[in-house]
């Protein structure tokens, strides 16, 4: 995983946890690529990514000073209120969590972050919070099992990671807030390329009404579980 820093003062000063930016650049793919905002400080934001295709490979090949068109902050973020927040992430699902920690602390919440990966080598090293719990599928570090199984209960549960992990979150905490994976086109509510199937029937646009949803609102059986955001989880 790599962290890419961008000078984006307006976004840095207004972004909320769970919101994303849509990146485009000269010579890049026709459609912009969406990334959660990982950190925001001063005039800068950061995104965390790894190369899964042509677009992400080009981003990782950029030089200091290269220019990227950065649309955002987009989408609806997490609502953080209560005494305690439990953060559950898998693989690249770490992406929105540092801002969740920031916003939860600003609201005076106690933060427990549970991060899971397949092996110790794939755990990110930058997790933070009052209590930190690692979980690995092979037991090579921390809890032997999934992040969902390792997590305690909390007033607010937020989760990000592979859709199959979020489906497990929905079973345990129907009122959890989850940031879902979809394909995206415009990122601004126009193209309908980011449809999320709902349990009550019909679809929402992840870029406008999401990407953060109450877990119980999503029809998990109809949402693809194989997207690249999940790679490494
Ligand atoms: C709201 C949101 C936030 C995201 N935040 C992050 C993040 O913080 N870090 C990160 O690394 N990735 C994030 N993603 C996923 C990221 O947008 C895709 O990995 C990226 O668009 C792939 O572009 P590419 O050109 O490299 O790959 P492509 O060549 O387009 O595709 C390569 C592979 O990625 C899959 N893929 C393409 N687009 C998406 C997509 N939008 N979501 C999931 N899988 C996709 C394809 O099925 C294919 O298997 C996020 C996606 C969304 C919708
Ligand atoms: S990405 Fe175009 S409507 Fe959501």
């Amino acid at each position: 995983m790599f962290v890419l820093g961008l000078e984006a003062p307006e976004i840095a000063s207004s972004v909320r946890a769970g919101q994303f930016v849509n990146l485009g650049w000269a010579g890049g793919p026709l459609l912009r690529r969406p990334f959660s905002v990982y950190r925001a400080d001063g005039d800068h934001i950061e995104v965390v990514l790894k190369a899964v295709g042509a677009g992400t490979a080009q981003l990782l090949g950029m030089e200091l000073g290269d220019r990227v068109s950065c649309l955002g902050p987009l989408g609806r973020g997490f609502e953080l209120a209560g005494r305690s927040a439990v953060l559950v992430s898998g693989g690249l699902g770490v992406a929105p969590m540092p801002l969740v920690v920031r916003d939860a602390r600003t609201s005076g919440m106690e933060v427990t972050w549970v991060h899971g990966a397949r092996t110790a080598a794939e755990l990110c090293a930058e997790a933070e919070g009052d209590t930190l719990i690692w979980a690995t599928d092979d037991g090579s570090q921390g809890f032997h099992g999934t992040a969902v199984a390792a997590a305690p209960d909390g007033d607010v549960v937020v989760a990000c990671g592979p859709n199959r992990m979020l489906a497990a979150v929905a079973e345990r905490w129907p009122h959890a807030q989850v940031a879902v994976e979809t394909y995206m086109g415009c990122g601004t509510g126009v193209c309908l390329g980011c449809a999320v199937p709902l349990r009550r029937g019909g679809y929402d646009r992840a870029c406008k009404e999401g990407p953060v949803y109450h877990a119980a609102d999503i029809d998990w059986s109809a949402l693809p579980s194989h997207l690249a955001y999940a790679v490494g989880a």
Side-chain angles (χ1 to χ4, degrees), residues 25 29 33 35 49-61 228-229 231:
W25 57 96
R33 296 296 193 244
F35 298 93
L49 70 157
K50 68 181 180 186
V52 296
T56 42
Q58 284 179 4
L59 279 173
L60 292 181
Y229 199 15
V231 169

Side-chain angles (χ1 to χ4, degrees), residues 6-7 23-28 59 62-70:
L6 301 157
E7 191 182 325
L23 302 182
W25 57 96
L59 279 173
M62 288 202 171
E63 305 284 341
L64 196 63
D66 281 351
R67 293 178 72 84
V68 174
S69 163
C70 186

Side-chain angles (χ1 to χ4, degrees), residues 4 6 9 12 17 21 23 30 94 103 122 128 153 183 185 212 220:
L4 200 68
L6 301 157
V21 288
L23 302 182
L30 183 62
V94 294
D103 290 356
E122 293 177 17
E128 46 194 77
D153 293 323
Y183 294 104
V212 173
W220 295 101

Side-chain angles (χ1 to χ4, degrees), residues 126-141:
E126 288 197 309
E128 46 194 77
D130 299 308
T131 307
L132 181 59
I133 300 171
W134 301 111
T136 47
D137 292 346
D138 66 356
S140 50
Q141 188 169 330

Side-chain angles (χ1 to χ4, degrees), residues 20 29 33-36 48-50 52-57 92 95 180-184 211 227-229:
F20 66 98
R33 296 296 193 244
F35 298 93
S36 300
V48 59
L49 70 157
K50 68 181 180 186
V52 296
T56 42
L92 273 166
V180 298
E181 302 162 24
T182 60
Y183 294 104
M184 277 192 188
L227 294 176
Y229 199 15

Side-chain angles (χ1 to χ4, degrees), residues 11-36:
I11 297 172
S13 62
S14 59
V15 66
R16 289 182 47 200
Q19 291 188 299
F20 66 98
V21 288
N22 219 5
L23 302 182
W25 57 96
L30 183 62
L31 296 174
R32 288 168 177 267
R33 296 296 193 244
F35 298 93
S36 300

